[in-house]
Amino acid sequence: MLTQYEAIIQAFEHLRKPTTIREMEEYISQKHGDAWKDIGTVLEDMVSTAHGGNHSSKVPNEYRVLKRISRGQYALLKND
């Protein structure tokens, strides 16, 4: 079973564009049902510290692969 972090990364890889929290919630819900909540907080915690991410995030470094484009919009770093 995928972790929430892996599901989010797969969603970015499929969508191949910057994505809002709402778009991500809809995508995750369609693909995985109601398995996970609070997608916005997880997206924020997945922002790399090199791109302004929170230093207190408990997300493992291998999943800190996002950057914040604007308030509530994120992109996968490797899709740049």
Side-chain angles (χ1 to χ4, degrees), residues 16-42:
R16 301 186 60 80
K17 66 179 183 78
T19 303
T20 65
I21 293 169
R22 184 175 193 89
E23 291 170 326
M24 183 60 69
E25 287 171 341
E26 289 172 4
Y27 185 90
I28 295 291
S29 178
Q30 288 175 357
K31 296 291 181 184
H32 303 284
D34 293 331
W36 299 296
K37 303 290 182 199
D38 208 11
I39 300 289
T41 299
V42 176

